[in-house]
Amino acid sequence: MSVRTSRGFARPLVYAVGATVVGCGFLYVSYRPRNIPGSDPAVVPPTFAEDGTIAPPRFPLIKSRAEQIADLKRSSSVRQAVENSAGALGKLFGGKEDSNHKELSGTAEPYDLLIIGGGATGAGIALDAATRGLKVAVVERDDFSSGTSSKSTKLVHGGVRYLEKAVWELDYNQYKLVKEALRERKYFLDTAPHLSNWLPIMLPIQKWWQAPYFWMGTKAYDFLAGSEGIESSYFLTKSKALEAFPMLKRSNVVGALVYYDGAHNDSRMNVSLAMTAALYGSTVINHMEVTGLEKDCNGNLNGARVKDLVQEKNGEKAAEFTIRAKGVINATGPFTDSIRKMDDKLVDEIVAPSSGVHVILPGYYSPANMGLIDPSTSDGRVIFFLPWQGNTIAGTTDAPTAISQNPIAGEEEINWILSEIRGYLAPDINVRRGDVLAAWSGIRPLVRDPKAKNTESLVRNHLITVSDSGLLTCAGGKWTTYRQMAEETVDEAIKLYGLQTRPVLQVPRISGTEMIDDAAALDGTCQTHQVRLIGAHGYSKTLFINLIQHFGVETDVAKHLVESYGDRAWTVAALSSPTDMRFPVRGLRISALYPFVDGEVRYAIRHEYAQTAVDVLARRTRLAFLNAQAALEALPLVIDLMAKELNWDDKRRYIEWRDTVQFLASMGLAKSKLNVTRKDVESGMAAKYDEHEMKLYSRYDRPADKIESDSKIESGQSPMLGVESPANK
């Protein structure tokens, strides 16, 4: 009897203890202390002089663009032939090899890898290969991040919707994609904390039955992230949801789930990848077009022919030259098939281009620090509604499209996004076409596997494939997994081309100090998960205070510089013009509406290879993406600053004006502005719209001549008659 009693008492006790342990474990996992990326103090804190003033760091310089082009030409087979001839002549006449020839031939070794394409994939591959001790060259026809890489949704995410598909479709490959992306998200935020941040995203609950479904989904997302997680998701009641996101429609919200993902500044991230690769020894050139591929007598690729497009813009003849390399990698995104057809004209196309349209709205459409996802749009697609650079970004669409250099967002797609936004914002918020400050279309290069049985099916992730001649192509994927794509591509290249990696022993002090040895971990294996990008070493959330105190820049300008350049904000601020005012002391804004300053233009040219006004307005600053009209109005100043730095003549100034205005059409600039002149902009005429465009592009309604509340004439009285007139009594 006593045994039965003890068993009856012990069993519920065990259950209670087990439930308590499980519950406590769940609470610990959910609310444990997290090391949030970007919240740590700077790896390299600012130093102070004896008098208490800040001593700015001294950063290493990358090679100039002209020096990089000279390095490319040293690998040219033509150059090698000349050198061989010079050596033969030296032996014929003097019996000795000329010392100059010896020096040149020592630097004329072919590159291990030539990478075509300077987007996220190409720049990522270059950094990976360079940090493994390989000799690398990257050529980009336009500018770094000029294509898809600058036109993303600006998220660094695992993909909540992909996890949902993985569960409902029991798809292990989808699960692997989410798991991989969550791991890469952590690396992304760690290696570039100044360019990326964690962002809470609200998932509105419209029916009570959705609450447990969404809760389980977001908690599964947290659990899958594990140690790579950011913050735990949480539930908000209706009142708290409306407090956090007051723009929401009250009638169809019963609560909300909030989960965390990452956000980033995509084109600045891309430029930083390219510049970091250059500091690690890569030869990195933009505006260098590949005109053909070179093969040896056995039909294997051994290089490419290129020409400098900047020379052509300057009115000079751009002579082609050859870059010799042991292996050639095609990382050209939507233009993948054009390079593949240079290699083999009969090859089947693998890219299925898809258009993704985004619109930029004023910042008052969303809270400054919280985004929103609409998982159930009218056609089943997902729309993100996110704060970005002080404005609000909304998108994206997904539709088949033709490949073009600068695709234009269609009115149908723009109006669809605005229509979906109206569905979940409060009815007193008038969502107008005129509130669209910029709109663009990015081409996502979805790919088919040519070796698959069903060649029409699309690859969910990226694809790495090799042609018969040895062209290694990496296509597809997404921003979040760029590092993993690069690692796999370099692994394949090492095997395919028989390359020998080696430890990197000599690396410039990228941090600008002797405190950090960036070569310490570079043993010849892939280490990009811990290679900090340029600007990351001295970054902290309080660095902007040091900039204000040292240079006297405005607070919003200082915050912007730190979040865009990290510790290189010291250099940008130093390059900014004095204002001749008591405050701010430095920093001439290129647009009164945004915190971009003239020092960024100079920095972009001297340290980031900016060669055109579009490079500056679209990819170094983000003004063109934030506000197309503001970019047009800033264009005269930007051209003047660049002309002084690059010695442009009047003809080149005109070309820059023409090309930039045409580019701004792809950013949503009104059609009537495409023939606008500099004089029109400087006189203010470019800011005027006709009646039709007033409805499309104007941010404000035309004011009435007299607001009733301001009138001194009482209601019912005629303003055309005197107050004492009998008609008004």
Side-chain angles (χ1 to χ4, degrees):
M1 186 75 177
S2 61
V3 174
R4 289 181 180 178
T5 303
S6 62
R7 286 180 179 175
F9 177 75
R11 184 174 298 171
L13 180 62
V14 169
Y15 290 160
V17 171
T20 302
V21 170
V22 171
C24 290
F26 177 79
L27 289 173
Y28 174 77
V29 169
S30 298
Y31 300 104
R32 69 189 185 277
R34 307 287 181 100
N35 181 22
I36 304 300
S39 61
D40 291 335
V43 178
V44 180
T47 56
F48 295 86
E50 292 181 359
D51 60 357
T53 58
I54 298 172
R58 303 177 70 87
F59 300 111
L61 299 176
I62 59 174
K63 291 181 178 181
S64 68
R65 187 173 183 274
E67 290 173 324
Q68 296 276 39
I69 292 174
D71 286 345
L72 282 184
K73 290 182 176 179
R74 286 191 184 96
S75 77
S76 172
S77 58
V78 175
R79 176 79 176 250
Q80 185 66 49
V82 171
E83 291 169 2
N84 290 342
S85 300
L89 289 171
K91 289 179 181 179
L92 179 64
F93 292 103
K96 287 198 227 179
E97 189 173 0
D98 182 70
S99 60
N100 288 331
H101 162 65
K102 190 182 237 179
E103 183 180 347
L104 286 170
S105 63
T107 60
E109 288 296 317
Y111 286 97
D112 291 319
L113 293 174
L114 169 61
I115 301 161
I116 305 173
T121 305
I125 293 171
L127 180 58
D128 188 300
T131 53
R132 298 200 209 189
L134 299 178
K135 185 180 179 183
V136 185
V138 184
V139 291
E140 163 60 46
R141 177 180 61 182
D142 195 337
D143 185 28
F144 312 115
S145 194
S146 60
T148 307
S149 297
S150 63
K151 299 175 181 177
S152 70
T153 310
K154 323 304 178 192
L155 283 176
V156 186
H157 63 132
V160 172
R161 55 179 174 165
Y162 299 135
L163 179 59
E164 182 182 30
K165 288 182 181 179
V167 172
W168 284 110
E169 298 174 10
L170 298 178
D171 190 333
Y172 181 69
N173 288 327
Q174 289 274 17
Y175 167 83
K176 281 175 60 181
L177 289 181
V178 177
K179 184 69 176 174
E180 174 187 288
L182 287 172
R183 182 189 68 242
E184 292 301 315
R185 180 185 69 178
K186 180 66 162 54
Y187 295 153
F188 202 117
L189 296 171
D190 282 341
T191 57
H194 56 303
L195 295 170
S196 54
N197 60 281
W198 51 272
L199 178 69
I201 300 177
M202 181 180 289
L203 187 59
I205 299 172
Q206 298 177 340
K207 305 290 184 182
W208 277 113
W209 62 264
Q210 293 178 326
Y213 179 74
F214 288 165
W215 185 87
M216 287 189 292
T218 55
K219 287 302 175 185
Y221 195 61
D222 295 342
F223 179 78
L224 199 59
S227 61
E228 282 85 28
I230 304 175
E231 281 279 14
S232 295
S233 57
Y234 58 90
F235 175 78
L236 289 177
T237 61
K238 178 176 180 177
S239 61
K240 290 295 183 182
L242 292 172
E243 180 182 349
F245 210 116
M247 304 82 178
L248 282 178
K249 185 184 291 184
R250 294 171 175 268
S251 60
N252 59 350
V253 173
V254 297
L257 262 299
V258 177
Y259 72 96
Y260 286 80
D261 252 327
H264 75 133
N265 188 337
D266 50 9
S267 71
R268 287 233 40 95
M269 179 74 181
N270 199 154
V271 171
S272 295
L273 280 169
M275 296 306 103
T276 306
L279 278 175
Y280 278 97
S282 297
T283 303
V284 180
I285 306 289
N286 56 350
H287 300 286
M288 184 70 68
E289 182 179 21
V290 172
T291 58
L293 300 178
E294 291 288 305
K295 298 180 181 180
D296 62 18
C297 57
N298 296 318
N300 296 320
L301 285 177
N302 64 358
R305 298 187 305 279
V306 298
K307 67 175 181 179
D308 183 6
L309 299 182
V310 173
Q311 280 186 296
E312 291 187 343
K313 281 202 167 192
N314 286 332
E316 304 169 8
K317 184 177 180 181
E320 288 188 3
F321 63 93
T322 302
I323 305 170
R324 295 189 302 121
K326 298 173 185 175
V328 180
I329 296 178
N330 175 16
T332 51
F335 303 97
T336 292
D337 286 324
S338 63
I339 299 298
R340 294 177 71 243
K341 289 189 175 183
M342 282 186 185
D343 175 45
D344 180 359
K345 293 181 180 179
L346 302 179
V347 71
D348 293 330
E349 295 185 354
I350 62 172
V351 172
S354 175
S355 169
V357 171
H358 294 82
V359 300
I360 289 288
L361 298 166
Y364 54 69
Y365 270 92
S366 67
N369 295 307
M370 181 172 286
L372 182 141
I373 179 174
D374 180 6
S376 54
T377 59
S378 58
D379 63 357
R381 289 180 285 187
V382 170
I383 274 192
F384 285 99
F385 195 67
L386 311 167
W388 183 66
Q389 299 286 304
N391 284 353
T392 301
I393 183 172
T396 177
T397 61
D398 185 9
T401 187
I403 297 174
S404 61
Q405 184 73 16
N406 292 309
I408 296 177
E411 282 298 319
E412 184 179 349
E413 290 91 342
I414 293 172
N415 288 326
W416 179 82
I417 293 173
L418 296 179
S419 175
E420 294 300 324
I421 291 171
R422 292 186 189 101
Y424 54 78
L425 292 188
D428 58 333
I429 299 177
N430 183 16
V431 181
R432 305 172 299 180
R433 175 62 176 83
D435 285 337
V436 176
L437 305 178
W440 69 84
S441 173
I443 300 177
R444 185 184 178 195
L446 304 174
V447 289
R448 307 179 186 92
D449 187 349
K451 297 179 181 178
K453 293 181 180 179
N454 180 9
T455 56
E456 292 302 312
S457 61
L458 299 176
V459 176
R460 292 192 179 98
N461 200 358
H462 59 277
L463 172 71
I464 297 174
T465 183
V466 182
S467 73
D468 293 338
S469 65
L471 177 64
L472 179 59
T473 295
C474 179
K478 60 181 182 178
W479 243 119
T480 307
T481 56
Y482 85 89
R483 194 209 64 84
Q484 179 68 28
M485 295 165 60
E487 180 179 352
E488 293 178 15
T489 303
V490 176
D491 287 344
E492 181 66 25
I494 290 169
K495 291 187 292 184
L496 179 66
Y497 305 125
L499 304 177
Q500 184 64 48
T501 62
R502 60 188 69 85
V504 180
L505 303 177
Q506 294 183 342
V507 175
R509 297 291 178 173
I510 298 175
S511 66
T513 72
E514 298 294 320
M515 297 175 62
I516 300 292
D517 181 7
D518 289 286
L522 305 182
D523 58 0
T525 62
C526 178
Q527 297 294 325
T528 48
H529 62 284
Q530 58 181 334
V531 172
R532 294 185 184 91
L533 299 191
I534 185 171
H537 297 77
Y539 168 77
S540 73
K541 289 187 178 294
T542 58
L543 178 59
F544 76 96
I545 299 174
N546 301 135
L547 284 187
I548 296 171
Q549 293 174 337
H550 191 74
F551 290 106
V553 294
E554 293 175 273
T555 301
D556 61 335
V557 171
K559 287 182 176 180
H560 154 68
L561 293 181
V562 168
E563 291 168 0
S564 298
Y565 301 91
D567 58 24
R568 265 45 177 192
W570 290 107
T571 306
V572 180
L575 292 172
S576 299
S577 298
T579 62
D580 297 326
M581 295 191 296
R582 182 177 178 275
F583 191 86
V585 180
R586 282 182 179 270
L588 174 65
R589 292 184 185 237
I590 63 174
S591 170
L593 300 174
Y594 296 93
F596 306 118
V597 293
D598 60 332
E600 296 181 73
V601 181
R602 297 186 184 96
Y603 183 86
I605 296 166
R606 299 180 191 181
H607 302 281
E608 293 181 339
Y609 299 159
Q611 296 294 307
T612 70
V614 173
D615 293 352
V616 170
L617 287 170
R619 270 93 59 174
R620 303 311 186 281
T621 70
R622 306 310 308 274
L623 186 55
F625 280 82
L626 291 169
N627 192 322
Q629 179 68 27
L632 177 65
E633 292 165 1
L635 184 54
L637 176 57
V638 170
I639 288 179
D640 287 347
L641 290 169
M642 298 190 75
K644 188 174 181 180
E645 290 284 323
L646 297 170
N647 298 316
W648 288 347
D649 57 19
D650 289 342
K651 184 177 180 181
R652 177 64 193 273
R653 286 171 182 251
Y654 169 75
I655 291 172
E656 285 302 312
W657 182 272
R658 180 198 64 196
D659 291 352
T660 306
V661 172
Q662 290 299 317
F663 170 81
L664 290 176
S666 69
M667 293 287 108
L669 187 67
K671 292 180 180 178
S672 65
K673 311 299 181 189
L674 299 185
N675 295 316
V676 73
T677 65
R678 175 169 180 154
K679 185 177 180 180
D680 292 334
V681 171
E682 292 177 332
S683 66
M685 293 296 294
K688 295 183 178 180
Y689 296 96
D690 60 28
E691 288 291 339
H692 173 69
E693 290 184 334
M694 196 76 177
K695 297 177 182 178
L696 288 180
Y697 299 107
S698 177
R699 288 184 60 186
Y700 51 85
D701 298 324
R702 286 196 167 183
D705 292 334
K706 181 76 74 173
I707 298 176
E708 186 175 348
S709 61
D710 291 338
S711 177
K712 295 180 180 180
I713 304 298
E714 295 182 9
S715 178
Q717 293 183 348
S718 171
M720 303 303 293
L721 299 172
V723 176
E724 298 301 322
S725 171
N728 275 331
K729 293 183 179 179

